[in-house]
Every structure is written in C-alpha cells, then in structure tokens.
Amino acid sequence: MKVRQLPLLLFTISLATIQCKKEEAPALPPDQPGSVTITTPVANTLYENGFVLTVEGEMIDNNVLSTARVEVRNKTTGALLFQQSTPTGNVTFFRFLWNWTVTGMTANIVATVKITAVDFQSREVSKQVDILLGP
C-alpha cells in the first residue's frame, strides 16, 4: 500500500509546484521611435525684438514620454537664446506650447528652434526649424 501512495504523493507535489509558478508579466510592445511635430513657428518667419515667438506642436512616443524640451540657438554661433524643459507626465501624447519674447537682437540672425522629446528610457527624438530674429 505504501508503494502505491508514493506516485500519488509525487504527482500531488509536482502539481502544487506547477500551480505556484509566478505568472510572467506581459511583454512590452517593441519600442518605436517617437515623433515631434512643430506647428508654430513656420520656417523663415521673422520675429523682431518685442515680438512673442510661440513654439507649439505635439510629440508622441509609445514608450511613455518623460520630458519635452525647447531650445532656440543662434545658428551661426550656437549661442543659446532661450530654453525650457517641461515634464510631460506618464503619457504617450503631449501637446507643447512655449512663448518667448524676443529681446537683445542687434542685427538680423538665423536661429534654430529645436524641440526634443525624451521618453522614460532616456531615448530622444528631435525636430527643428530655422527662423529669423531681428532688431
């Protein structure tokens, strides 16, 4: 009788072990490159001292965004004219809107407006547009 109970005991233990196995987390979708769309400003538009430069658009990333960043730089010298960074929260879609009053221009220059989207894995995607700044 003891010999017959041993296979039953082993079967019960193995069944309990299988049932206690942790469930695996579902696989994340493959990371796709994010995208940035700039709706304003339009390329080659002139903004003079005292005018408000509005930078507007949207960014998308299937891996959840963490930060949206804008930089305005003198295209010739690389000098930083304006920058701002905004946490996006736990979203895959974010509309951005920044305003900067143009000041300090003593001559006409070409400037680059660069928007960068950063996801929670620190991957970045950027888009830029050149504008004109003047006195």
Side-chain angles (χ1 to χ4, degrees), residues 27-50:
L28 295 174
D31 187 34
Q32 301 295 318
S35 66
V36 175
T37 303
I38 300 172
T39 54
T40 305
V42 175
N44 301 315
T45 302
L46 174 64
Y47 295 87
E48 296 175 329
N49 285 330

Side-chain angles (χ1 to χ4, degrees), residues 11-34:
F11 175 75
T12 305
I13 291 172
S14 65
L15 185 60
T17 304
I18 291 170
Q19 290 177 347
C20 291
K21 184 179 176 183
K22 281 187 173 180
E23 289 187 30
E24 294 181 20
L28 295 174
D31 187 34
Q32 301 295 318

Side-chain angles (χ1 to χ4, degrees), residues 53-66:
L53 168 62
T54 298
V55 180
E56 186 174 10
E58 58 192 42
M59 52 185 61
I60 299 169
D61 193 303
N62 77 328
N63 199 28
V64 184
L65 294 159
S66 68

Side-chain angles (χ1 to χ4, degrees), residues 15-112:
L15 185 60
T17 304
I18 291 170
Q19 290 177 347
C20 291
K21 184 179 176 183
K22 281 187 173 180
E23 289 187 30
E24 294 181 20
L28 295 174
D31 187 34
Q32 301 295 318
S35 66
V36 175
T37 303
I38 300 172
T39 54
T40 305
V42 175
N44 301 315
T45 302
L46 174 64
Y47 295 87
E48 296 175 329
N49 285 330
F51 282 69
V52 175
L53 168 62
T54 298
V55 180
E56 186 174 10
E58 58 192 42
M59 52 185 61
I60 299 169
D61 193 303
N62 77 328
N63 199 28
V64 184
L65 294 159
S66 68
T67 307
R69 190 170 57 229
V70 61
E71 293 180 347
V72 180
R73 291 187 179 268
N74 181 318
K75 188 169 183 170
T76 304
T77 66
L80 183 64
L81 304 171
F82 172 74
Q83 74 176 358
Q84 191 167 351
S85 183
T86 304
T88 60
N90 191 21
V91 297
T92 57
F93 174 85
F94 183 76
R95 286 203 48 81
F96 55 85
L97 173 64
W98 292 286
N99 290 304
W100 172 56
T101 302
V102 178
T103 59
M105 298 299 115
T106 57
N108 287 338
I109 66 164
V110 176
T112 300

Side-chain angles (χ1 to χ4, degrees), residues 2-17:
K2 288 184 181 180
V3 173
R4 289 186 182 170
Q5 291 178 347
L6 185 59
L8 181 60
L9 179 62
L10 291 174
F11 175 75
T12 305
I13 291 172
S14 65
L15 185 60
T17 304

